[in-house]
Amino acid sequence: MASKVVYSHRDPMLKKRDDFEDMLEERRTGSDLRYALRCYTPALYKGLTPCKASELKNMVLQSDQLHYVINQVSKETGTPTDEIQAEAAAILEEMAHRLQLSTIRFFAFTLCKIFKTLFRSICVNEEGIQRLQQAIQEHPVVLLPSHRSYMDFLLMSYILYTYDLALPVIAAGMDFMGMKIIGEMLRMSGAFFIRRSFGGDKLYWAVFSEYVKIMLKNGFAPVEFFLEGTRSRTAKSLTPKFGLLNIVMDPFLKGEVFDVSLVPVSISYERILEEALYARELLGVPKPKESTSGLFKARKILSEDYGSIHVYFGQPVSARSLAEGKVKRSQFNLIPRHIPRKPTEEIQDFVNDSAYRLVRAQEESMVLKPWVLLASLLLQNQAAGNKQGMSLRELTEQAVWLRDLSRQFGAFLHWPDHIPPSKVVSSSLSLHQGLVRISEGRVQLALDQAGGRVEPGLPQPAITPEDALLNQAVVILSCASYRNQALHVFIRPALLASAIHSASVNEKQEIFNTFSFLRNMFSDEFILCPGAEVQDFEEACYLLVKCGALQIHQQTILVTDRGQRTLAFLTSILDPFVQGYQMVCRFLCEATECLTDKLFIPAARKFIIKHLLTGRLKYAEVLSSDLQKNALAALLRLGAVQKLRGRGGPAALKVNKVMVNSLEDTLGGKLPTQKPLVARL
């Protein structure tokens, strides 16, 4: 039986979280071949016998909805329906999975070997597995894992096979299909391949949506997809995509199934396999194309230690309960079900709200490792210009302080309390030795090693200041990706701390106005549910009062002596994003050339590099293309920048320099001449 891992010192105010068990423990002593070939008899939806993949395709091609769209496209284009029917069949053939148990057994055997080599443990909450098993038998199930690594979907199937649960069918990008042999093996293990974007292709959308809905309605298998749409290169949750969630909600909204169970799954890596790869992508190095040869070249990772993985299967969320009081399903009785219709504003608001709630549920069950706290502290120390680093003793003392603060804020923290803090810190530093340097009892980021190793006896290659900066940025962005794992815990208190720091008075309403401005500005950067300004403000106030950092008397907010340290940490954690957005504003105001959306990132990066080299900017993580894209998205949303579509060419950016300059000043703590339009408390 797997070993139980219990986390103590939980705040009694927190909701109960399940304990974990290490599923690799049994695999280390048992036969991998016997495990892969064992009897596999998963419980299915209402005890149904799943149809074959070929039958599934026939059901899609014969569906009323697809026939309706085929006739519509035929009328619009003048193409015979037979040709469009053949095109639909070709789309489905390219898309569809061919789930085979023999391929699953092969993957189970192979992944056993790989996982035991790479990871110390894979910890799963077995109570969550039991809840999932029950849900699969009662309603169609949609699995919604967080997405931080290529490993995610393999890991999910491996876990479900191990616990004798129905294997999922998984939405995967077309780029995986191009991998020789591996692409077909993924297809036979349950992957179905979809384009990254459909444009206005009605036929493709109809085939895709009908395929997913028929699998869901017939309980063929749990449907699995990533709400974020793609892997997060920064380890922050990405703004959810709504297309697939719209599709899986549709059978419930139309009354074709009684309910749909949506299961958020949080996958937490102690060390991310793609750590340096992601950092380089954020600095503009092109993403390597998925290929089988690339996979074999990556075998060198098998010689490294990637620590532990924690996988938390959350409470199944009922689509029926989410929709209660928000959606009038009777509207679907007005037209035949097979006629596609654009979602109404009410439906879209419901799906959007559900998506944010599900991503928040993923975040709240993310397990944070000690290194997440250490990376936060080391990054702040480095940004403060402390070239000597921190002593191990000082780092340990600060980590214990931050551990306690994180727990008070409700973090799901894996800190082994039975081990002395100094040993916990040393163990974490050892696992991430590629990112830190320990010398004479002092710890700092390994910026001097960032250029890579040079073979003894060979001449040192010449390196420009810009190259040196980019090499250091790889280390800083890698560390930031770990710090980012904790941002969902700190973001609301950090926004409040920054608002208090910027406000000229301690009046609650004025602080709330500044909080709302910052929250709105950063709503593309963090998961902040639309329309929840007041709830987020009250949550931040509650947490900072609870930890003794603030006192609130009617309409005034006061910082306690004890709270100075807490607020300094929180403002520092948000500061790279504040300065990053300011830098993007400054770049747009000073740009003399006509900018397009394609030229924006390279030009902004060049501008930021110049400011970093002259010392006018201290945060190298502002070089992240993710931060720059999010800043531009915020300025577009606020109307400070507009995209002007050209004929066939890239969109030009039209900048309202007065508005952009005003936003830069406001971010810098200069109060706006006109208060932002916000709700009153």
Side-chain angles (χ1 to χ4, degrees):
M1 191 62 187
S3 62
K4 187 165 285 191
V5 187
V6 180
Y7 303 139
S8 58
H9 285 231
R10 295 198 193 132
D11 189 318
M13 296 291 289
L14 292 178
K15 64 181 183 181
K16 182 185 179 297
R17 285 165 172 148
D18 303 338
D19 297 325
F20 286 95
E21 302 202 0
D22 176 13
M23 62 182 291
L24 282 188
E25 186 182 32
E26 190 175 333
R27 297 274 47 81
R28 293 193 192 283
T29 55
S31 162
D32 293 338
L33 186 61
R34 193 176 295 121
Y35 158 77
L37 298 176
R38 69 195 175 83
C39 179
Y40 171 68
T41 53
L44 300 171
Y45 173 52
K46 294 185 176 177
L48 297 176
T49 303
C51 61
K52 294 178 182 176
S54 56
E55 292 171 4
L56 189 64
K57 285 193 274 192
N58 288 334
M59 291 166 75
V60 174
L61 293 172
Q62 292 165 14
S63 74
D64 291 340
Q65 179 166 328
L66 186 57
H67 280 195
Y68 179 87
V69 172
I70 286 170
N71 288 327
Q72 218 181 18
V73 172
S74 176
K75 286 176 187 174
E76 290 171 5
T77 62
T79 309
T81 55
D82 287 353
E83 286 185 28
I84 299 171
Q85 179 79 22
E87 187 183 343
I91 290 169
L92 189 58
E93 190 63 31
E94 177 189 66
M95 180 187 298
H97 72 80
R98 290 198 295 273
L99 185 60
Q100 292 182 11
L101 186 57
S102 57
T103 308
I104 295 295
R105 293 190 186 282
F106 170 79
F107 268 119
F109 177 78
T110 308
L111 290 174
C112 251
K113 301 290 186 191
I114 292 171
F115 288 159
K116 286 190 293 185
T117 303
L118 287 177
F119 303 109
R120 299 173 186 178
S121 60
I122 298 177
C123 300
V124 179
N125 64 321
E126 292 200 346
E127 290 174 59
I129 292 289
Q130 290 162 12
R131 290 191 295 264
L132 176 58
Q133 190 172 39
Q134 187 67 32
I136 287 171
Q137 296 174 68
E138 293 174 353
H139 302 292
V141 164
V142 177
L143 293 167
L144 301 168
S146 57
H147 201 15
R148 303 290 180 270
S149 171
Y150 275 137
M151 193 66 75
D152 294 331
F153 66 90
L154 295 172
L155 183 62
M156 286 289 292
S157 295
Y158 177 79
I159 291 170
L160 297 189
Y161 178 78
T162 300
Y163 285 101
D164 218 29
L165 292 175
L167 292 164
V169 288
I170 308 150
M174 293 290 283
D175 34 8
F176 288 100
M177 195 179 78
M179 297 173 70
K180 291 178 183 177
I181 305 172
I182 298 294
E184 278 309 299
M185 289 186 70
L186 291 173
R187 191 190 293 276
M188 290 189 285
S189 64
F192 61 96
F193 298 103
I194 57 174
R195 296 176 190 167
R196 292 290 180 187
S197 61
F198 304 162
D201 193 332
K202 284 184 184 176
L203 184 64
Y204 192 92
W205 175 259
V207 172
F208 167 59
S209 59
E210 199 62 14
Y211 182 60
V212 174
K213 284 189 275 192
I214 284 175
M215 284 192 291
L216 195 73
K217 287 187 289 189
N218 293 324
F220 178 88
V223 174
E224 179 184 320
F225 64 91
F226 301 109
L227 258 178
E228 299 162 280
T230 186
R231 288 175 298 157
S232 170
R233 270 72 173 168
T234 61
K236 289 191 287 95
S237 294
L238 304 179
T239 302
K241 303 291 187 290
F242 307 119
L244 259 166
L245 193 59
N246 263 309
I247 289 172
V248 299
M249 288 289 199
D250 197 62
F252 160 71
L253 293 170
K254 288 181 176 176
E256 295 172 315
V257 295
F258 180 77
D259 202 355
V260 173
S261 288
L262 305 155
V263 182
V265 184
S266 308
I267 306 175
S268 310
Y269 294 90
E270 189 166 13
R271 188 178 164 209
I272 301 166
L273 274 76
E274 301 97 328
E275 180 184 280
L277 180 70
Y278 286 166
R280 291 191 174 93
E281 279 186 48
L282 293 170
L283 292 169
V285 178
K287 170 190 167 189
K289 187 181 177 184
E290 282 77 14
S291 66
T292 305
S293 61
L295 183 67
F296 286 113
K297 286 175 186 173
R299 284 178 301 170
K300 63 180 182 181
I301 68 170
L302 293 173
S303 62
E304 299 198 31
D305 179 3
Y306 287 88
S308 61
I309 304 176
H310 285 75
V311 184
Y312 193 94
F313 287 82
Q315 288 280 355
V317 178
S318 156
R320 177 172 283 271
S321 66
L322 284 174
E324 195 171 342
K326 293 181 181 175
V327 178
K328 293 176 183 173
R329 293 197 295 155
S330 57
Q331 63 186 279
F332 291 95
N333 297 331
L334 302 176
I335 58 172
R337 287 175 181 168
H338 69 272
I339 297 178
R341 52 180 282 179
K342 193 175 178 181
T344 62
E345 190 176 341
E346 178 192 53
I347 297 296
Q348 201 55 62
D349 286 347
F350 160 66
V351 171
N352 292 9
D353 180 63
S354 299
Y356 274 93
R357 287 176 65 175
L358 289 161
V359 175
R360 279 296 308 273
Q362 286 177 351
E363 285 186 330
E364 287 171 3
S365 295
M366 285 291 206
V367 176
L368 306 182
K369 313 297 183 350
W371 171 246
V372 170
L373 308 184
L374 299 178
S376 305
L377 295 166
L378 289 167
L379 280 167
Q380 290 193 13
N381 184 261
Q382 184 269 334
N386 188 344
K387 295 182 180 179
Q388 302 302 313
M390 305 169 73
S391 70
L392 268 169
R393 183 176 176 180
E394 181 188 4
L395 180 60
T396 302
E397 181 273 325
Q398 289 197 26
V400 169
W401 171 81
L402 189 52
R403 174 199 69 186
D404 296 342
L405 182 69
S406 304
R407 283 174 171 163
Q408 286 184 300
F409 283 4
F412 197 175
L413 189 63
H414 175 210
W415 184 294
D417 290 305
H418 60 284
I419 299 175
S422 58
K423 289 191 176 179
V424 174
V425 169
S426 296
S427 174
S428 290
L429 295 174
S430 174
L431 183 66
H432 297 275
Q433 56 190 295
L435 299 177
V436 290
R437 181 165 60 83
I438 305 172
S439 176
E440 298 178 358
R442 300 193 72 82
V443 187
Q444 60 188 125
L445 300 183
L447 302 182
D448 55 346
Q449 301 170 19
R453 293 182 60 189
V454 178
E455 292 298 323
L458 293 179
Q460 175 82 37
I463 186 164
T464 66
E466 183 176 323
D467 289 338
L469 173 64
L470 292 173
N471 285 333
Q472 291 177 2
V474 170
V475 173
I476 289 170
L477 287 173
S478 296
C479 284
S481 72
Y482 291 100
R483 184 231 27 227
N484 289 347
Q485 293 178 25
L487 285 178
H488 68 277
V489 175
F490 296 119
I491 185 57
R492 288 157 190 82
L495 289 169
L496 178 54
S498 295
I500 291 168
H501 181 73
S502 298
S504 57
V505 294
N506 57 8
E507 288 180 11
K508 192 175 183 182
Q509 183 64 48
E510 182 167 330
I511 290 169
F512 174 69
N513 288 346
T514 309
F515 173 91
S516 295
F517 165 78
L518 290 170
R519 185 188 182 281
N520 188 27
M521 195 77 197
F522 291 117
S523 60
D524 297 281
E525 194 73 51
F526 309 108
I527 299 300
L528 298 162
C529 300
E533 292 92 345
V534 174
Q535 297 96 307
D536 284 350
F537 182 75
E538 294 296 350
E539 180 187 325
C541 287
Y542 166 75
L543 291 172
L544 288 172
V545 168
K546 175 185 168 187
C547 73
L550 294 184
Q551 289 179 352
I552 300 178
H553 303 286
Q554 294 181 326
Q555 293 306 311
T556 59
I557 295 178
L558 301 173
V559 181
T560 65
D561 290 341
R562 177 183 166 192
Q564 297 292 345
R565 181 181 186 183
T566 302
L567 266 65
F569 169 79
L570 292 170
T571 51
S572 294
I573 213 168
L574 193 62
D575 205 35
F577 300 96
V578 172
Q579 288 202 21
Y581 278 46
Q582 283 182 288
M583 191 57 56
V584 169
C585 289
R586 196 172 308 163
F587 161 67
L588 289 169
C589 286
E590 293 183 17
T592 53
E593 298 175 7
C594 179
L595 280 173
T596 64
D597 53 354
K598 284 192 175 180
L599 291 174
F600 168 74
I601 295 292
R605 184 182 297 119
K606 189 175 178 182
F607 181 84
I608 290 163
I609 286 172
K610 182 178 75 176
H611 280 73
L612 283 164
L613 290 174
T614 57
R616 283 176 281 178
L617 176 66
K618 63 179 179 179
Y619 293 109
E621 58 185 285
V622 174
L623 284 167
S624 165
S625 59
D626 184 75
L627 184 148
Q628 294 154 23
K629 285 174 190 171
N630 290 336
L632 180 61
L635 295 171
L636 287 163
R637 178 171 44 79
L638 294 170
V641 178
Q642 289 178 292
K643 275 188 184 180
L644 303 177
R645 297 284 173 192
R647 288 186 178 179
L653 299 178
K654 182 183 178 184
V655 181
N656 181 334
K657 294 192 177 183
V658 173
M659 192 173 176
V660 170
N661 194 56
S662 174
L663 289 168
E664 182 191 348
D665 285 346
T666 308
L667 280 167
K670 299 171 188 173
L671 291 175
T673 53
Q674 181 181 0
K675 282 189 177 179
L677 297 174
V678 295
R680 291 197 68 81
L681 285 167

